[in-house]
């Protein structure tokens, strides 16, 4: 960008930053642009009162609150804005969107959408188009033969889009709500969307399978595809694994459309949410047993985990048949890759006897504990108490409750505890204390049947590389580990004879004791050396 252009834009932006709230950048920019146009066209006297009067008139006409509460500061911003030229102004307005707290897709993610133009679509819908700036103009300019419909719910955004694309013959700007049934009567060859998600707001229209905004967008937009049309949409991770109504929607999509691609995007892909997100590409054609491309992307170099993603690289890529996806029962990318892992396949295909953990164990989740009491008589094992080998009994929380009221949750000798969520897979075996203990709701309890499965042997398996892989396959594909006890129950565990299990358990306990003694001896020796060397 020319240095003079950048200087003018920065001067205006700096004036704006000191004048209005962060969330009002776009509103203020659009209003300023319109005020300048009207003042120039009607030759309004260049003074504070007359210019501010035009601002109030424009805000009232647009039906929005005036973000400029100080007219003198507005006038200074207006003066800087007068120096910004036409195209520079439009570019700056969209830049403000990316600097505000409004959701904007990084260029690296937008490029994944743009790849779908290889189908040469005649009609394209970009839903909530403000989220695709500052790449929106490039998308439209590079695909001049396509007819675009840009939607927004916001009058201010609509005005900004009109200013930018008002003279484009192939662009129509529509103020509408994609979360309402029949928001348009048109159908399209290609639809782009990054819907609202992560909040608790539900769509008003109750005709949809799910009323969460993101799920409504998936269902609603898919209904507006031409035959052979494609919907490319970014969705939170729960679309791949959640039960209930989300599962119903997933099955509807799976049975009604061809799923072309399911792609897991890197952590913190979207700056406005920490939710794990996926890119879904579906086509309005009859689903057959086609290949479904499954990808995991990693980000290029980033200064920090929260820095904007500037590039994407395919970390893993495979494909799965529709029949395999139906058999799996969800769209978990982690599970798909785990089940195609060579070690996992070797384990699955081995002749060793196996059984589902749920068939040889009782599995349940711990109890939610709302009120803790240091003097309580019942110990509570939290995730933080579960170490790599043991449970930290000294730092347990306590609960003051009648034992009979938590009887179904009381832990027993040999229970294997596993965090239901977190960043690492680890297990520990519970040993009875002098007081009753329960697990918190973030802990899964596996209680092996003594005649079929040894607790220590189960821990050895779950802690092993292959055990970690089968657990990873069961976990629900989100940023942190999130395991359902129901999913855990269908994990296969190798089952040699109980005698062989007990022999493995005895060797494990013996060698763990030797390991600890060796480490303690080495640490004591090292402390002696340091004490000697550090005496000056």
């Amino acid at each position: 960008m020319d240095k003079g252009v950048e200087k003018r834009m920065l001067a205006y932006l700096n004036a704006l930053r000191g004048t209005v709230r962060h969330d009002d950048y776009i509103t203020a920019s659009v209003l300023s642009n319109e005020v300048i146009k009207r003042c120039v066209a009607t030759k309004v006297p260049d003074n504070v009162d007359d210019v501010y009067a035009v601002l109030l008139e424009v805000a009232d006409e647009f039906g929005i609150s005036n973000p400029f509460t100080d007219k003198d500061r507005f006038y200074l911003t207006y003066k800087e804005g007068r120096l910004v030229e036409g195209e520079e102004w439009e570019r700056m307005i969209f830049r403000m969107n990316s600097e505000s707290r409004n959701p904007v897709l990084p260029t690296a993610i937008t490029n994944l959408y743009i790849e779908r133009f290889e189908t040469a679509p005649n009609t394209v819908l970009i839903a909530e188009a403000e989220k695709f700036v500052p790449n929106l103009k490039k998308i439209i300019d590079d695909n001049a033969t396509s007819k675009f419909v840009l939607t927004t719910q916001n009058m201010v955004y609509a005005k900004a889009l009109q200013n930018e694309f008002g003279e484009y013959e192939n662009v129509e700007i529509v103020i509408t709500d994609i979360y309402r049934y029949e928001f348009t009567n048109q159908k399209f060859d290609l639809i782009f969307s990054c819907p609202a998600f992560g909040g608790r707001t539900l769509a008003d229209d109750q005709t949809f399978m799910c009323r969460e905004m993101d799920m409504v967008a998936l269902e609603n937009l898919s209904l507006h595809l031409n035959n052979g049309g494609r919907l490319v949409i970014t969705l939170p991770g729960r679309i791949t694994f959640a039960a209930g109504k989300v599962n119903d929607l997933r099955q509807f999509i799976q049975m009604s459309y061809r799923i072309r691609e399911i792609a897991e995007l890197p952590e913190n892909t979207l700056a406005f949410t920490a939710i794990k997100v996926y890119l879904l590409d579906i086509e309005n054609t009859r689903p057959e047993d086609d290949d479904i491309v499954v990808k995991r992307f990693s980000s290029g170099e980033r200064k920090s985990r929260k820095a904007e993603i500037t590039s994407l690289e395919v970390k893993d890529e495979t494909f799965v048949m529709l029949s395999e996806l139906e058999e799996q029962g969800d769209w978990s990318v982690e599970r798909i890759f785990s089940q195609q892992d060579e070690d996992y396949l070797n384990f699955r295909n081995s002749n060793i006897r196996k059984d589902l953990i749920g068939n040889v164990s009782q599995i349940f989740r711990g109890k939610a504990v709302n009120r803790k009491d240091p003097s309580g008589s019942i110990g509570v094992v939290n995730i933080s108490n579960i170490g790599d080998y043991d449970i930290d009994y000294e730092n347990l929380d306590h609960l003051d409750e009648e034992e009979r009221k938590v009887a179904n949750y009381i832990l027993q000798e040999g229970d294997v505890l596993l965090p239901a969520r977190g960043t690492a897979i680890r297990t520990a075996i519970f040993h009875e204390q002098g007081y009753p203990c329960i697990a918190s709701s973030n802990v899964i309890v596996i209680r092996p049947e003594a005649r079929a499965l040894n607790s220590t042997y189960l821990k050895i398996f779950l802690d092993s590389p292959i055990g970690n892989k089968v657990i990873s396959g069961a976990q629900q594909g989100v940023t942190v580990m999130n395991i359902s006890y129901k999913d855990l129950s269908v994990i296969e565990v190798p089952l040699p004879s109980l005698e062989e299990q007990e022999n493995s358990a005895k060797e494990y306990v013996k060698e763990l004791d030797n390991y600890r003694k060796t480490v303690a001896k080495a640490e004591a020796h090292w402390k002696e050396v340091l004490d000697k060397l550090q005496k000056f």
Side-chain angles (χ1 to χ4, degrees):
M1 185 184 295
D2 179 84
K3 289 184 178 179
V5 173
E6 181 70 15
K7 185 176 180 181
R8 290 192 294 273
M9 288 174 60
L10 284 175
Y12 173 80
L13 295 176
N14 287 333
L16 192 64
R17 290 186 183 109
T19 305
V20 300
R21 294 185 308 113
H22 198 276
D23 291 343
D24 290 329
Y25 283 173
I26 281 288
T27 300
S29 298
V30 171
L31 287 175
S32 295
N33 186 20
E34 187 65 23
V35 169
I36 290 169
K37 287 181 179 179
R38 293 195 185 186
C39 286
V40 171
T42 59
K43 298 181 181 180
V44 172
D46 190 5
N47 62 69
V48 174
D49 291 332
D50 287 330
V51 172
Y52 196 73
V54 174
L55 169 68
L56 297 178
E57 176 186 303
V58 171
D60 183 62
E61 182 181 317
F62 284 7
I64 57 178
S65 298
N66 172 28
F68 296 98
T69 55
D70 186 314
K71 66 180 179 180
D72 290 325
R73 293 183 70 88
F74 163 71
Y75 184 67
L76 293 176
T77 305
Y78 164 84
K79 297 291 284 185
E80 292 291 352
R82 287 289 298 263
L83 302 177
V84 179
E85 299 175 1
E87 287 191 8
E88 300 170 13
W89 186 274
E90 310 305 341
R91 190 160 58 241
M92 182 184 62
I93 287 178
F94 286 107
R95 175 174 168 177
M96 291 303 293
N97 195 33
S98 62
E99 289 193 12
S100 70
R101 295 172 185 170
N102 297 303
V104 177
L105 285 170
T107 298
I109 306 302
T110 305
N111 287 340
L112 297 180
Y113 284 79
I114 293 173
E115 291 174 4
R116 273 62 183 187
F117 275 98
E118 65 185 9
T119 60
N122 291 319
T123 54
V124 181
L125 168 66
I126 301 183
E128 299 175 315
E130 63 271 12
K131 297 177 181 179
F132 289 81
V133 297
N135 299 288
L136 188 58
K137 191 172 189 303
K138 183 179 186 315
I139 292 173
I140 294 173
D141 287 344
D142 288 350
N143 298 279
T145 60
S146 298
K147 166 102 167 97
F148 288 86
V149 172
L150 311 180
T151 78
T152 183
Q153 295 185 61
N154 188 299
M155 175 68 77
V156 173
Y157 288 141
K159 187 63 180 178
L161 292 168
Q162 189 64 41
N163 287 339
E164 182 72 25
F165 301 109
E167 297 182 1
Y168 282 60
E169 293 183 358
N170 65 328
V171 176
E172 179 185 1
I173 296 147
V174 180
I175 301 177
T176 188
D177 182 354
I178 66 168
Y179 309 102
R180 289 186 178 276
Y181 188 64
E182 294 185 339
F183 70 95
T184 178
N185 58 6
Q186 299 183 63
K187 291 193 174 184
F188 303 89
D189 299 324
L190 183 62
I191 299 177
F192 288 170
S193 176
C194 178
F197 53 80
R200 297 182 179 179
T201 304
L202 300 179
D204 295 331
D205 197 326
Q206 299 187 27
T207 60
F208 297 106
M209 295 182 191
C210 305
R211 290 182 59 203
E212 291 88 343
M213 307 290 269
D214 40 27
M215 301 299 136
V216 166
L218 172 60
E219 180 182 350
N220 204 20
L221 293 173
S222 68
L223 299 176
H224 290 274
L225 289 172
N226 283 323
N227 289 333
R230 303 265 289 274
L231 167 62
V232 187
I233 185 170
T234 304
L235 292 169
R238 64 197 182 91
I239 184 58
T240 66
F241 65 80
K245 293 181 179 180
V246 175
N247 180 59
D248 294 341
L249 175 59
R250 192 166 57 241
Q251 296 303 316
F252 166 75
I253 295 295
Q254 192 168 282
M255 291 186 297
S256 307
Y257 301 89
R258 177 187 175 187
I259 303 172
R260 297 187 64 95
E261 183 175 319
I262 303 171
E264 179 185 280
L265 300 178
E267 183 179 357
N268 293 319
T269 289
L270 304 179
F272 54 90
T273 178
I275 296 175
K276 185 82 169 182
V277 294
Y278 289 73
L279 191 74
L280 182 64
D281 182 346
I282 69 171
E283 181 180 299
N284 186 20
T285 55
R286 182 183 296 276
E288 298 178 357
D289 207 12
D290 304 300
D291 294 350
I292 299 169
V293 176
V294 181
K295 293 180 181 177
R296 277 196 293 217
F297 284 95
S298 62
S299 58
E301 293 187 5
R302 300 166 76 177
K303 293 181 180 179
S304 68
R305 289 175 59 194
K306 294 186 178 181
E308 180 178 323
I309 289 178
T310 57
S311 64
L312 288 172
E313 300 170 359
V314 177
K315 177 183 176 183
D316 297 300
E317 182 173 1
T318 187
F319 70 88
V320 63
M321 306 295 286
L322 177 59
S323 56
E324 294 174 314
L325 207 60
E326 290 173 341
E327 182 181 353
Q328 178 173 301
D330 59 29
W331 298 349
S332 169
V333 169
E334 187 68 39
R335 186 172 299 179
I336 291 169
F337 280 106
S338 293
Q339 292 181 355
Q340 295 187 355
D341 178 84
E342 184 175 352
D343 292 337
Y344 180 83
L345 291 174
N346 290 337
F347 170 72
R348 286 288 303 271
N349 297 328
S350 67
N351 293 324
I352 187 171
R353 177 173 170 259
K354 309 179 196 68
D355 203 345
L356 303 182
I357 292 183
N359 289 342
V360 290
S361 304
Q362 179 186 354
I363 305 177
F364 59 94
R365 198 156 184 167
K367 179 177 173 56
V369 176
N370 298 320
R371 293 177 298 173
K372 301 172 185 176
D373 186 341
S375 62
S377 60
I378 298 174
V380 180
V381 181
N382 294 302
I383 290 178
S384 58
N385 303 121
I386 300 176
D388 290 331
Y389 303 107
D390 294 315
I391 294 170
D392 178 9
Y393 297 102
E394 291 185 4
N395 293 299
L396 297 183
D397 288 328
H398 285 79
L399 174 68
D400 185 17
E401 184 62 271
E402 294 180 40
E403 187 174 336
R404 64 180 180 81
K405 292 185 178 181
V406 294
N408 292 336
Y409 296 93
I410 297 294
L411 296 173
Q412 298 178 11
E413 177 71 27
D415 285 347
V416 179
L417 306 188
L418 173 75
R421 55 186 295 112
T423 57
I425 298 171
R426 62 186 188 276
T427 63
I429 298 173
F430 177 80
H431 297 295
E432 290 185 347
Q433 304 298 297
Y435 50 88
C437 293
I438 64 172
S440 72
S441 59
N442 284 326
V443 174
I444 294 175
V445 181
I446 306 174
R447 182 169 294 162
E449 293 180 5
R451 293 177 295 180
L453 182 60
N454 179 278
S455 296
T456 303
Y457 172 80
L458 176 60
K459 173 177 169 56
I460 295 171
F461 170 70
L462 295 178
D463 287 347
S464 70
I466 189 62
N468 274 214
K469 286 179 180 179
V470 295
I471 292 176
S472 295
Q475 78 178 55
Q476 300 166 348
V478 291
T479 303
V480 296
M481 181 179 69
N482 189 356
I483 301 174
S484 160
Y485 73 91
K486 292 181 180 178
D487 288 337
L488 195 64
S489 68
V490 296
I491 285 178
E492 286 189 318
V493 58
L495 283 180
S497 68
L498 195 57
E499 182 182 358
E500 291 177 271
Q501 294 181 43
E502 290 173 348
N503 288 338
S504 295
K506 289 176 183 177
E507 183 177 358
Y508 176 87
V509 171
K510 175 185 175 183
E511 294 303 328
L512 176 59
D513 184 57
N514 290 338
Y515 165 75
R516 285 172 164 163
K517 289 177 179 177
T518 301
V519 170
K521 184 177 179 180
E523 288 179 345
H525 175 68
W526 178 239
K527 185 178 184 302
E528 291 176 2
V529 171
L530 286 179
D531 288 343
K532 181 181 71 173
L533 295 176
Q534 292 175 347
K535 289 180 180 178
F536 299 102

PDB file of all heavy atoms in Angstrom, residues 73 89 259 275 280 284 332 351 376 382 395 425 443:
ATOM      1  N   ARG A  73     -15.228  15.897  19.349  1.00  0.00           N
ATOM      2  CA  ARG A  73     -14.337  14.797  18.974  1.00  0.00           C
ATOM      3  C   ARG A  73     -14.785  14.199  17.639  1.00  0.00           C
ATOM      4  O   ARG A  73     -13.969  13.771  16.826  1.00  0.00           O
ATOM      5  CB  ARG A  73     -14.302  13.735  20.070  1.00  0.00           C
ATOM      6  CG  ARG A  73     -13.645  14.202  21.367  1.00  0.00           C
ATOM      7  CD  ARG A  73     -13.569  13.086  22.385  1.00  0.00           C
ATOM      8  NE  ARG A  73     -12.613  12.068  21.980  1.00  0.00           N
ATOM      9  CZ  ARG A  73     -11.315  12.103  22.279  1.00  0.00           C
ATOM     10  NH1 ARG A  73     -10.819  13.126  22.963  1.00  0.00           N
ATOM     11  NH2 ARG A  73     -10.525  11.132  21.896  1.00  0.00           N
ATOM     12  N   TRP A  89     -11.310   4.665   1.535  1.00  0.00           N
ATOM     13  CA  TRP A  89     -12.322   4.666   2.588  1.00  0.00           C
ATOM     14  C   TRP A  89     -13.013   3.313   2.698  1.00  0.00           C
ATOM     15  O   TRP A  89     -13.205   2.778   3.782  1.00  0.00           O
ATOM     16  CB  TRP A  89     -13.355   5.755   2.289  1.00  0.00           C
ATOM     17  CG  TRP A  89     -14.332   5.909   3.408  1.00  0.00           C
ATOM     18  CD1 TRP A  89     -15.469   5.206   3.599  1.00  0.00           C
ATOM     19  CD2 TRP A  89     -14.226   6.807   4.496  1.00  0.00           C
ATOM     20  NE1 TRP A  89     -16.098   5.597   4.747  1.00  0.00           N
ATOM     21  CE2 TRP A  89     -15.354   6.590   5.315  1.00  0.00           C
ATOM     22  CE3 TRP A  89     -13.303   7.777   4.862  1.00  0.00           C
ATOM     23  CZ2 TRP A  89     -15.570   7.314   6.476  1.00  0.00           C
ATOM     24  CZ3 TRP A  89     -13.527   8.497   6.015  1.00  0.00           C
ATOM     25  CH2 TRP A  89     -14.645   8.256   6.813  1.00  0.00           C
ATOM     26  N   ILE A 259     -21.412 -36.052   1.543  1.00  0.00           N
ATOM     27  CA  ILE A 259     -20.382 -35.358   2.324  1.00  0.00           C
ATOM     28  C   ILE A 259     -19.071 -35.476   1.549  1.00  0.00           C
ATOM     29  O   ILE A 259     -18.552 -36.576   1.356  1.00  0.00           O
ATOM     30  CB  ILE A 259     -20.240 -35.973   3.729  1.00  0.00           C
ATOM     31  CG1 ILE A 259     -21.578 -35.943   4.459  1.00  0.00           C
ATOM     32  CG2 ILE A 259     -19.176 -35.221   4.534  1.00  0.00           C
ATOM     33  CD1 ILE A 259     -21.577 -36.702   5.766  1.00  0.00           C
ATOM     34  N   ILE A 275     -13.394 -22.201  20.627  1.00  0.00           N
ATOM     35  CA  ILE A 275     -14.029 -23.485  20.328  1.00  0.00           C
ATOM     36  C   ILE A 275     -13.319 -24.156  19.155  1.00  0.00           C
ATOM     37  O   ILE A 275     -12.953 -23.512  18.180  1.00  0.00           O
ATOM     38  CB  ILE A 275     -15.519 -23.274  19.984  1.00  0.00           C
ATOM     39  CG1 ILE A 275     -16.267 -22.728  21.190  1.00  0.00           C
ATOM     40  CG2 ILE A 275     -16.164 -24.572  19.513  1.00  0.00           C
ATOM     41  CD1 ILE A 275     -17.707 -22.376  20.911  1.00  0.00           C
ATOM     42  N   LEU A 280     -16.825 -28.158   6.922  1.00  0.00           N
ATOM     43  CA  LEU A 280     -17.649 -29.207   6.331  1.00  0.00           C
ATOM     44  C   LEU A 280     -18.038 -28.795   4.917  1.00  0.00           C
ATOM     45  O   LEU A 280     -18.465 -27.661   4.689  1.00  0.00           O
ATOM     46  CB  LEU A 280     -18.904 -29.413   7.186  1.00  0.00           C
ATOM     47  CG  LEU A 280     -19.886 -30.502   6.753  1.00  0.00           C
ATOM     48  CD1 LEU A 280     -19.224 -31.873   6.826  1.00  0.00           C
ATOM     49  CD2 LEU A 280     -21.129 -30.461   7.632  1.00  0.00           C
ATOM     50  N   ASN A 284     -25.280 -31.294  -2.762  1.00  0.00           N
ATOM     51  CA  ASN A 284     -26.672 -31.713  -2.900  1.00  0.00           C
ATOM     52  C   ASN A 284     -26.812 -32.724  -4.038  1.00  0.00           C
ATOM     53  O   ASN A 284     -27.345 -32.436  -5.109  1.00  0.00           O
ATOM     54  CB  ASN A 284     -27.567 -30.501  -3.158  1.00  0.00           C
ATOM     55  CG  ASN A 284     -29.044 -30.872  -3.161  1.00  0.00           C
ATOM     56  OD1 ASN A 284     -29.429 -31.912  -2.614  1.00  0.00           O
ATOM     57  ND2 ASN A 284     -29.866 -30.039  -3.778  1.00  0.00           N
ATOM     58  N   SER A 332     -16.309 -38.295  14.079  1.00  0.00           N
ATOM     59  CA  SER A 332     -15.091 -37.987  14.828  1.00  0.00           C
ATOM     60  C   SER A 332     -13.851 -38.205  13.961  1.00  0.00           C
ATOM     61  O   SER A 332     -13.531 -39.337  13.585  1.00  0.00           O
ATOM     62  CB  SER A 332     -14.996 -38.862  16.077  1.00  0.00           C
ATOM     63  OG  SER A 332     -13.714 -38.757  16.667  1.00  0.00           O
ATOM     64  N   ASN A 351      -4.866 -61.962  17.007  1.00  0.00           N
ATOM     65  CA  ASN A 351      -5.668 -63.118  17.440  1.00  0.00           C
ATOM     66  C   ASN A 351      -5.911 -63.148  18.944  1.00  0.00           C
ATOM     67  O   ASN A 351      -6.613 -64.033  19.437  1.00  0.00           O
ATOM     68  CB  ASN A 351      -4.974 -64.419  17.015  1.00  0.00           C
ATOM     69  CG  ASN A 351      -4.961 -64.573  15.504  1.00  0.00           C
ATOM     70  OD1 ASN A 351      -5.916 -64.196  14.833  1.00  0.00           O
ATOM     71  ND2 ASN A 351      -3.873 -65.127  14.972  1.00  0.00           N
ATOM     72  N   GLY A 376     -15.633 -32.078  56.058  1.00  0.00           N
ATOM     73  CA  GLY A 376     -16.561 -33.119  55.650  1.00  0.00           C
ATOM     74  C   GLY A 376     -15.961 -34.508  55.792  1.00  0.00           C
ATOM     75  O   GLY A 376     -14.739 -34.707  55.750  1.00  0.00           O
ATOM     76  N   ASN A 382     -10.721 -35.378  42.554  1.00  0.00           N
ATOM     77  CA  ASN A 382     -10.835 -34.540  41.366  1.00  0.00           C
ATOM     78  C   ASN A 382      -9.761 -34.921  40.351  1.00  0.00           C
ATOM     79  O   ASN A 382      -8.837 -35.693  40.655  1.00  0.00           O
ATOM     80  CB  ASN A 382     -10.680 -33.065  41.741  1.00  0.00           C
ATOM     81  CG  ASN A 382     -11.821 -32.568  42.606  1.00  0.00           C
ATOM     82  OD1 ASN A 382     -12.985 -32.630  42.205  1.00  0.00           O
ATOM     83  ND2 ASN A 382     -11.488 -32.086  43.800  1.00  0.00           N
ATOM     84  N   ASN A 395      -4.525 -34.240  49.397  1.00  0.00           N
ATOM     85  CA  ASN A 395      -5.110 -32.966  48.953  1.00  0.00           C
ATOM     86  C   ASN A 395      -6.517 -33.127  48.374  1.00  0.00           C
ATOM     87  O   ASN A 395      -6.943 -32.328  47.536  1.00  0.00           O
ATOM     88  CB  ASN A 395      -4.193 -32.308  47.926  1.00  0.00           C
ATOM     89  CG  ASN A 395      -2.880 -31.864  48.538  1.00  0.00           C
ATOM     90  OD1 ASN A 395      -2.863 -31.035  49.442  1.00  0.00           O
ATOM     91  ND2 ASN A 395      -1.774 -32.434  48.066  1.00  0.00           N
ATOM     92  N   ILE A 425      -4.061 -38.051  28.831  1.00  0.00           N
ATOM     93  CA  ILE A 425      -4.682 -39.310  29.229  1.00  0.00           C
ATOM     94  C   ILE A 425      -3.842 -39.925  30.344  1.00  0.00           C
ATOM     95  O   ILE A 425      -2.646 -40.155  30.168  1.00  0.00           O
ATOM     96  CB  ILE A 425      -4.767 -40.281  28.036  1.00  0.00           C
ATOM     97  CG1 ILE A 425      -5.641 -39.695  26.931  1.00  0.00           C
ATOM     98  CG2 ILE A 425      -5.298 -41.634  28.478  1.00  0.00           C
ATOM     99  CD1 ILE A 425      -5.600 -40.480  25.636  1.00  0.00           C
ATOM    100  N   VAL A 443     -14.559 -37.091  36.486  1.00  0.00           N
ATOM    101  CA  VAL A 443     -13.759 -38.317  36.553  1.00  0.00           C
ATOM    102  C   VAL A 443     -14.644 -39.512  36.181  1.00  0.00           C
ATOM    103  O   VAL A 443     -15.786 -39.612  36.635  1.00  0.00           O
ATOM    104  CB  VAL A 443     -13.174 -38.513  37.970  1.00  0.00           C
ATOM    105  CG1 VAL A 443     -12.467 -39.862  38.074  1.00  0.00           C
ATOM    106  CG2 VAL A 443     -12.214 -37.371  38.308  1.00  0.00           C
TER     107      VAL A 443
END
